[in-house]
């Protein structure tokens, strides 16, 4: 029987199935680097405060570094018997260095330890996700520049509405991903406080220096309330919410790509490397990657629901229920990371069928609003103009022609204020070019937005470099 670090109070060994059911090592082993960093900071602080001897501290640091080496070279054996990452590492430390290892847990609990490790780990993963979001934004801005004047139908209710530029459409996603990044930055800033020193729930009787450990681990400050610090999982809920919203954006984008790639739309074709075939229908090329990304949003949102529900009825402070937090957030982050990567690598290889898009925009009476605007400019009240163009569209549908093909007689018959010049001037190019204001779809505006985004990217890169230098 492996001895439990907490075994003193017990007479009988843990039930075998309970041991496995209780263990979290399969999920939390990935936080080993953060667990070791947290322990080193804690040991150095204990020594600086005279709670741990210099000799013990040195042994602990060396032992922890050795363990890091063992884990990274694949030699380390994580066991269910040692339950979680914290006890696996601590028991190995004691195996390596003896009594000094047993002193490490002075003035600490797994409750503040796990809260610290999780914040550190997610902080790093947050930065990875932000880098992914930035890369995807860059890909989209490049595509938007390329397609600043590519015209496609814009939709409302999935019915042809007005022509838009494809670049403008792509930049809509750049805006969404910028807000997503903002949510991660915001959550990251709020979670960057050190729970270490909160111990089990009430703090510790030792004269610890929480500022020292907070600074050593790159936290902005120690948390202000020990009960809150060990029971707070807001940061996980916030990150899951941010991940869910981002996944929803990717899911909407996926849905559009899937529609656009259908034979009925024919707007785009995704690269072979990101599609699969059918085992029975030889002609098929399926957009599996956007479909799967659309599907991933379900489990990411599921993680958010799981976490909200888990925390909802928990009294302060730590409860074992909270161990379920890591599975939810790790799965969400892994899948969001993969989804962002797929999009970033898939989109540059997308074939855009510019002619098909243009034809689709030019049919379906997408220029009708512009004809109404022309009537308004000639002094017709907008409601009247709307009715006149409605009648015109009705006429064209029956005649099987487009608005700009109406002759003078047809115009006059519908309304004397409607002229051949007005309908002749209609074109999808004119439609998009005319929407030339901040936020409009004109190619000129798209290019201005592209330039503005590039400036923001450059400022962001410069700021990141400065942080690295500091
Ligand atoms: N494995 C545990 C978790 O992930 C660590 C904290 C356990 N604390 C306790 N008092 N049982 O939540």
């Amino acid at each position: 029987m492996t001895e439990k670090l907490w075994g003193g109070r017990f007479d009988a060994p843990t039930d075998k199935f309970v041991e496995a059911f209780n263990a979290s090592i399969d999920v939390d082993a990935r936080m080993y680097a953060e667990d070791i960093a947290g322990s080193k900071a804690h040991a150095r602080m204990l020594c600086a405060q005279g709670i741990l001897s210099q000799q013990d501290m040195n042994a602990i640091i060396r032992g922890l570094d050795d363990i890091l080496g063992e884990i990274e070279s694949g030699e380390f054996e994580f066991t269910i018997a040692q339950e979680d990452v914290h006890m696996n590492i601590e028991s190995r430390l004691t195996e390596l260095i003896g009594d000094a290892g047993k002193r490490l847990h002075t003035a600490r609990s797994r409750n503040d330890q796990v809260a610290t490790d999780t914040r550190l780990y997610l902080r790093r993963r947050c930065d990875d996700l932000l880098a992914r979001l930035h890369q995807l934004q860059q890909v989209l801005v490049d595509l938007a520049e390329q397609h600043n004047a590519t015209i496609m139908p814009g939709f409302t209710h999935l019915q042809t509405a007005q022509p838009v530029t494809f670049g403008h459409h792509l930049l809509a996603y750049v805006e969404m991903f910028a807000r997503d990044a903002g949510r991660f930055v915001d959550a990251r800033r709020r979670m960057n406080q050190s729970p270490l020193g909160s111990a089990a729930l009430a703090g510790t009787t030792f004269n610890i220096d929480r500022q020292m450990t907070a600074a050593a681990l790159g936290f902005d400050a120690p948390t202000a309330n020990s009960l809150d610090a060990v029971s707070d999982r807001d940061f996980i809920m916030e990150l899951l919410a941010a991940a869910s919203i981002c996944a929803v954006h990717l899911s909407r984008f996926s849905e559009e790509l899937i529609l656009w790639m259908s034979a009925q739309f024919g707007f785009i074709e995704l690269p072979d490397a990101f599609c699969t075939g059918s085992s029975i229908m030889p002609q098929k090329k399926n957009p599996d990657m956007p479909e799967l990304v659309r599907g991933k949003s379900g489990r990411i949102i599921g993680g958010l629901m799981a976490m909200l529900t888990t925390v909802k009825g928990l009294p302060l402070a730590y409860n074992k229920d909270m161990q379920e937090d890591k599975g939810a957030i790790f799965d969400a982050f892994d899948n969001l990371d993969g989804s962002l990567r797929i999009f970033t690598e898939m989109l540059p290889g997308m074939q855009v069928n510019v002619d098909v898009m243009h034809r689709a925009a030019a049919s379906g009476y997408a220029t009708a609003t512009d004809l109404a605007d022309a009537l308004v400019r000639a002094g017709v009240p907008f409601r009247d103009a709307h009715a006149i163009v409605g009648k015109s569209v009705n006429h064209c549908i029956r005649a099987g022609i487009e608005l700009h093909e109406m002759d003078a007689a047809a115009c006059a018959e519908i309304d004397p204020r409607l002229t051949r010049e007005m309908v002749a001037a209609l074109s999808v190019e004119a439609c998009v070019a005319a929407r030339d204001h901040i936020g409009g779809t004109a190619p000129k505006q798209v290019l201005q937005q592209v330039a503005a985004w590039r400036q923001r990217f450059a400022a962001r890169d410069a700021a990141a470099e400065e942080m690295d230098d500091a």
Side-chain angles (χ1 to χ4, degrees):
M1 171 186 152
T2 325
E3 236 181 279
K4 299 273 183 261
L5 293 180
W6 40 255
R9 185 230 182 279
F10 289 76
D11 295 322
T14 315
D15 175 272
K16 269 294 151 205
F17 183 67
V18 168
E19 189 171 85
F21 194 72
N22 186 50
S24 58
I25 189 61
D26 289 347
V27 175
D28 61 31
R30 60 161 84 189
M31 303 195 303
Y32 68 85
E34 287 75 19
D35 193 73
I36 288 172
S39 288
K40 284 164 82 170
H42 181 65
R44 289 199 174 102
M45 181 278 290
L46 290 180
C47 179
Q49 295 298 100
I51 304 164
L52 192 71
S53 74
Q54 184 76 40
Q55 207 182 346
D56 283 347
M57 191 269 275
N58 289 340
I60 288 171
I61 302 291
R62 242 179 292 121
L64 288 170
D65 282 337
D66 289 347
I67 292 172
L68 186 65
E70 289 179 1
I71 295 172
E72 291 191 331
S73 67
E75 282 163 57
F76 193 95
E77 206 199 321
F78 289 107
T79 67
I80 281 176
Q82 290 301 344
E83 198 175 321
D84 56 26
V85 66
H86 324 295
M87 296 206 293
N88 267 272
I89 290 176
E90 191 190 319
S91 64
R92 175 68 182 143
L93 183 67
T94 299
E95 219 172 78
L96 286 175
I97 66 169
D99 276 358
K102 297 187 199 164
R103 297 210 163 89
L104 171 62
H105 212 53
T106 309
R108 187 176 73 168
S109 155
R110 271 188 298 154
N111 297 347
D112 59 341
Q113 193 178 358
V114 72
T116 303
D117 291 5
T118 311
R119 285 176 193 236
L120 286 174
Y121 176 80
L122 291 176
R123 190 176 73 185
R124 173 159 67 80
R125 293 297 305 272
C126 231
D127 292 341
D128 295 345
L129 282 176
L130 283 167
R132 286 243 186 260
L133 278 167
H134 294 168
Q135 281 169 347
L136 177 53
Q137 284 185 306
Q138 258 153 352
V139 162
L140 288 170
V141 165
D142 289 348
L143 278 172
E145 179 177 46
Q146 212 178 309
H147 290 288
N148 72 85
T150 300
I151 296 175
M152 67 183 287
F155 301 93
T156 62
H157 312 267
L158 199 55
Q159 308 290 314
T160 301
Q162 290 171 355
V164 295
T165 49
F166 188 44
H168 191 56
H169 195 112
L170 294 169
L171 288 180
Y173 283 99
V174 178
E175 296 287 337
M176 292 179 234
F177 294 132
R179 291 195 295 273
D180 291 332
R183 275 180 277 273
F184 281 115
V185 168
D186 196 40
R188 186 199 189 287
R189 184 170 40 76
R190 223 181 336 274
M191 86 172 157
N192 200 32
Q193 296 193 339
S194 174
L196 208 55
S198 302
L201 75 165
T204 171
T205 57
F206 292 93
N207 174 31
I208 55 172
D209 182 351
R210 296 193 60 211
Q211 300 282 1
M212 181 179 168
T213 44
L217 295 169
F219 286 115
D220 295 327
T223 52
N225 182 300
S226 63
L227 284 167
D228 178 48
V230 292
S231 56
D232 170 31
R233 294 295 182 272
D234 288 7
F235 60 102
I236 294 184
M237 293 186 272
E238 280 193 57
L239 291 173
L240 279 166
S244 294
I245 297 172
C246 183
V248 164
H249 291 151
L250 285 169
S251 184
R252 296 183 80 172
F253 202 170
S254 295
E255 174 66 11
E256 297 201 312
L257 294 176
I258 293 160
L259 282 172
W260 293 345
M261 190 163 139
S262 68
Q264 287 67 25
F265 274 81
F267 287 3
I268 59 156
E269 186 160 337
L270 294 173
D272 280 3
F274 291 83
C275 294
T276 68
S278 157
S279 56
I280 175 169
M281 297 168 283
Q283 85 284 11
K284 293 291 292 266
K285 178 173 166 184
N286 296 325
D288 288 48
M289 285 308 100
E291 290 175 72
L292 200 50
V293 168
R294 188 177 55 184
K296 294 291 187 190
S297 64
R299 67 193 284 173
I300 295 171
I301 294 165
L304 172 61
M305 293 307 125
M307 210 40 221
L308 290 168
T309 315
T310 299
V311 175
K312 180 179 71 72
L314 295 185
L316 302 187
Y318 181 85
N319 299 270
K320 186 74 170 191
D321 317 44
M322 288 155 79
Q323 180 165 288
E324 289 297 311
D325 61 355
K326 287 174 278 314
I329 185 79
F330 293 172
D331 185 78
F333 269 27
D334 291 350
N335 281 294
L336 184 61
D337 187 80
S339 300
L340 289 166
R341 175 176 170 176
I342 291 283
F343 264 64
T344 304
E345 291 175 10
M346 174 177 70
L347 289 175
M350 170 176 66
Q351 176 192 314
V352 181
N353 301 328
V354 174
D355 294 343
V356 179
M357 280 187 177
H358 190 278
R359 241 179 289 131
S363 62
Y365 309 103
T367 57
T369 313
D370 291 60
L371 180 55
D373 288 353
L375 283 159
V376 168
R377 279 195 195 90
V380 181
F382 182 78
R383 272 296 148 233
D384 292 351
H386 188 286
I388 292 168
V389 178
K391 273 187 215 154
S392 305
V393 169
N394 205 339
H395 165 82
C396 287
I397 291 171
R398 271 186 276 113
I401 56 172
E402 294 296 331
L403 284 168
H404 67 266
E405 291 168 337
M406 283 171 70
D407 59 23
C411 290
E413 197 178 315
I414 286 165
D415 194 288
R417 290 169 291 181
L418 182 67
T419 68
R420 167 70 200 150
E421 289 67 46
M422 287 174 185
V423 296
L426 295 172
S427 77
V428 290
E429 284 76 13
C431 279
V432 296
R435 286 164 172 78
D436 188 14
H437 53 76
I438 296 172
T441 197
K444 213 173 105 194
Q445 292 294 330
V446 172
L447 290 175
Q448 263 172 33
Q449 288 295 321
V450 165
W453 277 114
R454 294 226 169 102
Q455 243 166 34
R456 271 170 248 166
F457 297 156
R460 197 166 62 194
D461 293 346
E465 232 165 81
E466 216 169 282
M467 287 280 275
D468 282 350
D469 291 347

